[in-house]
Amino acid sequence: MDLPSRASPRRKSRGSPARSNGARGKPGMTVSDNGTEFTSNAILGMAKDHRVEWHYIAPGKPMHNGYIESFNGRMRDALLNESLFMDLDQAQQLIGAWITDYNTTRPHSSLGYKTPAAYAGTLSAPTGVTLVKALTAAG
């Protein structure tokens, strides 16, 4: 996940997949609502350039994307409601530290009380099956 930058959104977005793909590769699909941040030409262009399918949930149906709604609530409660960002650099630093903590330190009940990083380390796809397909099939 990349943090906001003063750079052009298009230029910044174009660089995002290489940094966020890591060992697991790029996503096969991104699911989002119809908010303006997800209908911008920059993000849609990035998805097209990197051949990532984009799927919109039905307007007014946040339960169609429950995982991200849950994440947004946790981030809002644990970080955004508790922080006063003085500038963009501080926001990037605090959000980056929170994301690292969320993915590498905090156990998640939905992952058998493992951290996302530890859980990801246990995954392997059968021969001929991409990890994206394996994760999609696993739910």
Side-chain angles (χ1 to χ4, degrees):
M1 169 181 255
D2 282 328
L3 302 177
S5 155
R6 289 181 182 90
S8 141
R10 177 81 172 156
R11 191 171 334 131
K12 185 70 172 178
S13 294
R14 286 168 122 5
S16 300
R19 287 191 299 278
S20 62
N21 288 343
R24 294 187 301 268
K26 69 180 180 182
M29 177 189 297
T30 297
V31 178
S32 73
D33 62 17
N34 291 290
T36 56
E37 68 275 20
F38 295 117
T39 57
S40 73
N41 289 332
I43 200 154
L44 295 176
M46 182 275 309
K48 180 180 176 188
D49 291 349
H50 295 279
R51 296 186 178 110
V52 174
E53 186 178 342
W54 203 272
H55 174 74
Y56 291 107
I57 63 171
K61 302 285 186 183
M63 62 287 226
H64 288 178
N65 201 7
Y67 291 111
I68 196 62
E69 293 299 324
S70 174
F71 172 81
N72 288 346
R74 291 177 197 280
M75 184 179 204
R76 185 174 36 257
D77 292 344
L79 175 68
L80 301 177
N81 290 345
E82 303 296 322
S83 303
L84 176 62
F85 304 117
M86 302 308 283
D87 56 34
L88 183 58
D89 291 332
Q90 182 194 28
Q92 288 178 323
Q93 180 183 14
L94 291 174
I95 293 169
W98 188 87
I99 290 169
T100 298
D101 178 65
Y102 185 86
N103 287 323
T104 61
T105 305
R106 296 182 189 188
H108 297 244
S109 61
S110 64
L111 301 176
Y113 294 95
K114 295 179 182 174
T115 66
Y119 181 77
T122 68
L123 301 177
S124 62
T127 304
V129 176
T130 67
L131 188 53
V132 171
K133 288 181 184 176
L135 287 172
T136 303

